[in-house]
Amino acid sequence: MKKNNSITTIVAIGIGAAVFFILGRFLSIPVGFIPNTSVETTYPFLALMSVVFGPFAGALIGLIGHAIKDLLTYGLWWSWVICSGLTGFGYGLIGKKLDLENGKFDQKDMIKFNIGQIIVNLIVWALLAPTLDILIYSEPANKVYAQGIVSAGLNSLAVAILGTILLKAYSKRKTADNSLKRD
């Protein structure tokens, strides 16, 4: 929603953070072979919200939603909370290059979006999150980099599949400015 107003954005942040929490709490699938690592449905949803409402809304949705999830489950893990915010911000930056509001999300846009989201996920989850875990919590490097690499791959895959479907569905709801013609 490129032309959104601040009230709409604030409401979207609140609702988005709540949905992020619900998805993270109830629709995460632990992978089993790496501790505390799951297939997340939160990041495809975060991609949609970030693309539609912009990078700052995406950052706040990721930050607030992840913080609430952590607080109500096993405790606040700041490194990953921060990284969810950065992920939302990154997805929002990619969204600035898309024109979903006019119903456009073709194959070229899908490729552009997915290359961008994979880069965001690799930087944030495979590099930044583990590094923050080491700096903030003195976690063992081999453990957190393994978690980060697996998370980056799983998040990229989830966003490539579910996120692309969500963005395509959203774009189909919109009408191109020049699509209506007077007879």
Side-chain angles (χ1 to χ4, degrees):
M1 194 174 271
K2 305 282 189 226
K3 301 172 196 151
N4 61 355
N5 62 37
S6 58
I7 293 171
T8 304
T9 302
I10 291 168
V11 170
I13 291 167
I15 292 170
V19 172
F20 187 102
F21 158 71
I22 292 166
L23 291 172
R25 179 71 177 95
F26 300 108
L27 287 173
S28 291
I29 305 159
V31 295
F33 59 91
I34 301 278
N36 301 321
T37 308
S38 302
V39 176
E40 297 284 348
T41 57
T42 53
Y43 296 104
F45 172 75
L46 182 60
L48 172 68
M49 296 299 283
S50 300
V51 167
V52 173
F53 293 100
F56 292 105
L60 289 172
I61 291 166
L63 189 74
I64 295 166
H66 197 134
I68 293 168
K69 179 187 84 155
D70 278 8
L71 283 170
L72 296 176
T73 52
Y74 49 82
L76 200 56
W77 198 260
W78 278 110
S79 52
W80 288 56
V81 169
I82 291 166
C83 285
S84 283
L86 292 172
T87 301
F89 187 82
Y91 293 162
L93 289 178
I94 298 163
K96 288 181 163 284
K97 304 290 185 197
L98 303 174
D99 190 18
L100 295 173
E101 290 306 311
N102 287 311
K104 186 177 179 296
F105 193 63
D106 57 20
Q107 191 170 17
K108 185 177 170 183
D109 294 320
M110 290 179 203
I111 291 167
K112 184 186 329 179
F113 169 74
N114 279 296
I115 289 170
Q117 67 90 0
I118 289 167
I119 292 168
V120 167
N121 281 311
L122 286 172
I123 291 169
V124 172
W125 298 110
L127 296 175
L128 191 55
T131 302
L132 289 174
D133 281 349
I134 293 165
L135 294 174
I136 297 171
Y137 302 108
S138 300
E139 288 286 320
N142 60 341
K143 173 190 154 197
V144 293
Y145 280 104
Q147 285 176 325
I149 290 166
V150 170
S151 292
L154 292 173
N155 291 347
S156 295
L157 186 62
V159 173
I161 297 168
L162 295 175
T164 301
I165 290 169
L166 289 171
L167 290 169
K168 185 66 176 173
Y170 179 83
S171 73
K172 284 189 176 282
R173 291 186 59 251
K174 298 298 185 172
T175 305
D177 288 338
N178 61 359
S179 67
L180 298 176
K181 292 184 174 57
R182 186 173 181 172
D183 288 332

